[in-house]
């Protein structure tokens, strides 16, 4: 009879662990590059591009730049038939469309949260099983020891 592991991780704990690893991945250049390559292979690179554009947008201080960057993000990722249209629900898209005339630094927060969740729940676990990820891990090994790579 197989022995069951005594450590149970609740779905919430799993989500938190996945989220922490995802955050680390997105702030590590080698990890981010590998994840982008993976997303490209799955035809969903627009998700991480949108997330990164939002992170950059939130650091904008000049009011004119806020407006121009918001319009660029909107035309690139949000509006119907955008070149890199992201998959968000109608109500989120509609809210952004209504507020884009006078954008704030928070105008893409809800969409960014949805896309982050999609990547963390869907793309990231598949990335961890991919050949791209295995190559990344192997490239970070020195002899038998791994270099510090917190999302591994």
């Amino acid at each position: 009879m197989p022995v069951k592991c005594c450590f149970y991780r609740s779905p919430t704990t799993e989500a938190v662990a996945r989220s922490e690893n995802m955050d680390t991945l997105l702030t590590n250049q080698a990890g981010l590059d590998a994840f982008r390559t993976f997303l490209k292979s799955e035809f969903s690179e627009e998700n991480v591009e949108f997330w990164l554009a939002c992170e950059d947008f939130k650091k904008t201080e000049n009011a004119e730049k806020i407006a121009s960057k918001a319009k660029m993000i909107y035309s690139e990722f949000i509006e119907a038939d955008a070149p890199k249209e992201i998959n968000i629900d109608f109500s989120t898209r509609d809210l952004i469309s209504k507020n884009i005339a006078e954008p704030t630094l928070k105008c893409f927060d809800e969409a960014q949260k949805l896309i982050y969740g999609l990547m963390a729940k869907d793309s990231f676990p598949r990335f961890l099983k991919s050949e791209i990820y295995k190559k990344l891990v192997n490239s970070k090994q020195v002899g038998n020891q791994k270099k510090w790579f917190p999302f591994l």
Side-chain angles (χ1 to χ4, degrees):
M1 180 173 178
V3 176
K4 290 186 179 180
C5 179
C6 56
F7 298 105
Y8 171 74
R9 290 182 100 175
S10 71
T12 305
T13 307
E14 288 291 338
V16 169
R18 192 171 43 241
S19 169
E20 287 172 0
N21 291 337
M22 181 83 169
D23 288 342
T24 305
L25 173 78
L26 293 171
T27 58
N28 177 289
Q29 193 57 54
L32 179 59
D33 291 345
F35 191 51
R36 283 179 100 151
T37 300
F38 172 75
L39 290 175
K40 226 181 251 187
S41 76
E42 292 208 327
F43 305 100
S44 60
E45 185 186 14
E46 70 279 357
N47 291 334
V48 75
E49 287 182 9
F50 172 72
W51 188 87
L52 291 167
C54 290
E55 288 298 292
D56 177 63
F57 175 71
K58 288 191 271 190
K59 296 175 190 160
T60 308
E61 294 176 10
N62 176 310
E64 286 177 21
K65 285 190 177 183
I66 289 172
S68 66
K69 281 185 176 184
K71 284 178 178 55
M72 186 281 301
I73 290 171
Y74 180 78
S75 64
E76 187 92 3
F77 300 102
I78 305 295
E79 71 183 353
D81 299 320
K84 297 177 182 180
E85 186 177 356
I86 55 170
N87 185 10
I88 55 175
D89 60 89
F90 173 79
S91 60
T92 304
R93 188 180 312 277
D94 193 47
L95 182 63
I96 294 169
S97 298
K98 288 176 181 169
N99 294 327
I100 198 67
E102 294 181 33
T104 68
L105 291 177
K106 295 187 175 295
C107 67
F108 299 110
D109 283 2
E110 192 58 35
Q112 186 183 22
K113 212 181 305 177
L114 290 169
I115 292 302
Y116 179 92
L118 180 68
M119 290 190 301
K121 193 172 135 185
D122 188 42
S123 304
F124 187 65
R126 283 198 314 278
F127 168 67
L128 294 178
K129 296 173 184 168
S130 72
E131 285 302 313
I132 294 167
Y133 177 73
K134 289 175 188 164
K135 285 180 186 173
L136 175 67
V137 171
N138 290 336
S139 73
K140 297 299 172 186
Q141 289 182 343
V142 180
N144 283 336
Q145 297 200 337
K146 289 181 186 171
K147 288 183 184 176
W148 184 77
F149 225 43
F151 61 86
L152 296 177

